[in-house]
């Protein structure tokens, strides 16, 4: 392919990290949606921050993140509703300090038992991802804005 | 990028396969959605298995897969409805035998002629992908679960 | 991974370009959705063509593209509605002349202020992407078809 002439090592490095972010997001959100709250919290750094649009203040640290996810999942089970979080249209900007600034469009799809799925929320997610001791991506900071409150 | 320090050959191999799976899914589902039933069936292995949530038993082999897809597409044409299958939030796990275990979130979007699109079904797709004689990805086994029946 | 045996340089080149196209689309559509009409127009070639399904004739050139995007965004602001364009299920075919033929499924999600998001349009986007002087991807030609008018 004649388009592949410039900065091939850099562009290969970008392809690696881009695939890795998408793979990470798929795994991360499947944990949340399947109710694996503790495992989901462990995909944040120990001091990870999640600033959701509906909470009065950011949620900080894995214990608080796990507790929040567990409570949200329990409510969905009571309602008989399955939620799916999809992080799409991913834009990854590697930073000089090795972190990744990632912006994505987030769809939350809600499906009641025996009912029709609906697009529950449309959001924009702003993440800072870093690497843990084993090289694994972790969320250090997440800020989410809702399109209905923009 | 200082994040790219470990296992670079392995991570490059993963980026290759991750891009290839996404490209394969886009092509595979466009065949289905455009009514190319036989070409779609040929993206399964000859003994490929598709266990959809709404069939009483799995569909096995390319002839049965093509017949099922052709029938489904004929019904949509009669209704004047276009369906789109999107496999998103893809998680790829390469296996020791060279196969790929892939989990994705599947949206089926339905649009009636002159009407509004709607999210028709939200599913989780569990695939086993293998390579054919020419190295091309093929679906050996697909199992789909519907969120409304979870 | 034993699956990675054939045409590794070509497949690495494909992974590079596939990641780059997804990254480009995320950036390109975020410009459009955030009202950065001029910056969005600059992601087309100077003589770029956009053949939308709802316009009587194609829009040609950056000035016309920017004017059209600015007008569309002003209407949305008046209505108090946020639109998001997602190019998903991307299929990239590199051409001999270095251009990229890309087909994708396009979702337009609309969210009114204080309201529920809805899937506004489901489309198929056919792009020809080329590289500018700095190697950056640009849209040379875009044709969009709407599923409700198929």
């Amino acid at each position: 392919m004649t388009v592949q002439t410039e900065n091939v090592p850099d562009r290969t490095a970008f392809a690696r990290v881009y695939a890795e972010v998408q793979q990470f997001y798929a795994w991360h959100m499947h944990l949340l949606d399947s109710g694996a709250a503790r495992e989901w919290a462990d995909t944040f750094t120990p001091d990870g921050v999640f600033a959701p649009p509906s909470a009065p203040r950011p949620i900080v640290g894995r214990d608080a993140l796990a507790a929040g996810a567990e409570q949200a999942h329990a409510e969905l089970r009571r309602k008989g509703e399955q939620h799916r979080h999809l992080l799409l249209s991913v834009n990854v900007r590697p930073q000089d300090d090795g972190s990744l600034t990632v912006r994505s469009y987030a769809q939350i799809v809600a499906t009641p038992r025996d009912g029709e799925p609906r697009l529950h929320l449309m959001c924009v997610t702003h993440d800072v991802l870093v690497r843990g001791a084993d090289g694994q991506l972790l969320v250090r900071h997440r800020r989410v804005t809702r399109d209905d409150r923009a």
Side-chain angles (χ1 to χ4, degrees), chain A residues 10-52:
Chain A
D10 280 3
R11 294 175 61 222
T12 303
F14 180 77
R16 278 197 296 270
V17 83
Y18 196 82
E20 197 176 5
V21 168
Q22 289 186 303
Q23 170 89 345
F24 171 70
Y25 277 161
W27 179 59
H28 169 75
M29 287 306 194
H30 196 266
L31 290 174
L32 180 65
D33 296 336
S34 59
R38 169 53 61 182
E39 291 84 346
W40 176 75
D42 286 346
T43 61
F44 286 78
T45 59
D47 60 349
V49 175
F50 175 27

Side-chain angles (χ1 to χ4, degrees), chain A residues 1-2 4 8 13 39-40 46 49 66 71 83 90 107 112 114 119-120 126 139 143:
Chain A
M1 280 185 288
T2 58
Q4 306 293 344
V8 165
E39 291 84 346
W40 176 75
V49 175
Q71 184 186 340
H83 280 200
V90 174
Q107 293 181 352
D114 302 319
L119 196 49
H120 176 59
H126 303 266
V139 182
R143 180 171 61 85

Side-chain angles (χ1 to χ4, degrees), chain A residues 52-72:
Chain A
S54 41
R57 67 186 64 81
I59 302 165
V60 181
R62 287 176 174 168
D63 286 348
L65 289 162
E70 178 50 48
Q71 184 186 340

Side-chain angles (χ1 to χ4, degrees), chain A residues 102-116:
Chain A
V102 187
R103 181 183 60 212
S104 58
Y105 284 177
Q107 293 181 352
I108 304 180
V109 174
T111 308
R113 195 170 295 130
D114 302 319
E116 296 256 312

Side-chain angles (χ1 to χ4, degrees), chain A residues 47-106:
Chain A
D47 60 349
V49 175
F50 175 27
S54 41
R57 67 186 64 81
I59 302 165
V60 181
R62 287 176 174 168
D63 286 348
L65 289 162
E70 178 50 48
Q71 184 186 340
H73 199 257
E75 284 172 26
L76 292 176
R77 273 198 308 270
R78 257 196 308 279
K79 291 174 66 176
E81 198 162 280
Q82 176 70 58
H83 280 200
R84 300 290 178 192
H85 293 72
L86 296 95
L87 297 183
L88 307 170
S89 300
V90 174
N91 185 271
V92 178
R93 282 162 292 169
Q95 304 297 308
D96 286 344
D97 67 355
S99 69
L100 304 171
T101 300
V102 187
R103 181 183 60 212
S104 58
Y105 284 177

